[in-house]
Amino acid sequence: MTIDTNAMFSITEANQNFSKVARRVDEKGSAVILKNNMPRYLVIDFSKAEKEAEASDDDVLSVSKRFLQRNKEAHEVLAK
């Protein structure tokens, strides 16, 4: 993930002016809130979060194929 330095806010600034953070999320897609000068929180648009949380069909197929290959012997025994 690329972090835009213009979308970074101290926790104090975010606390005092959250609407500024929200506007930046609307403009840039995300904002990072720093705590003790270290990235601590990521603020993103809710619809983007939902989209990121869903696994694509390709991901699901790849994981299921790996699972079947790893447990092939057990599946063959159970199939008998």
Side-chain angles (χ1 to χ4, degrees):
M1 167 186 267
T2 305
I3 298 174
D4 182 358
T5 56
N6 293 323
M8 297 175 79
F9 301 90
S10 69
I11 196 161
T12 303
E13 183 180 8
N15 187 37
Q16 292 173 350
N17 197 357
F18 189 77
S19 61
K20 183 178 179 181
V21 175
R23 275 193 308 275
R24 191 60 50 100
V25 170
D26 289 339
E27 294 168 2
K28 304 282 185 178
S30 66
V32 175
I33 299 175
L34 307 172
K35 186 173 183 178
N36 298 324
N37 293 325
M38 298 292 292
R40 181 64 184 234
Y41 304 102
L42 175 64
V43 182
I44 60 173
D45 184 87
F46 190 78
S47 62
K48 186 176 178 182
E50 287 180 322
K51 186 183 288 186
E52 293 292 327
E54 294 176 8
S56 71
D57 289 342
D58 292 338
D59 292 341
V60 172
L61 288 173
S62 132
V63 169
S64 63
K65 284 179 184 177
R66 249 192 334 228
F67 179 77
L68 287 171
Q69 288 173 351
R70 241 186 255 157
N71 299 297
K72 185 178 180 179
E73 187 177 321
H75 287 285
E76 288 172 349
V77 170
L78 291 171
K80 291 180 182 179

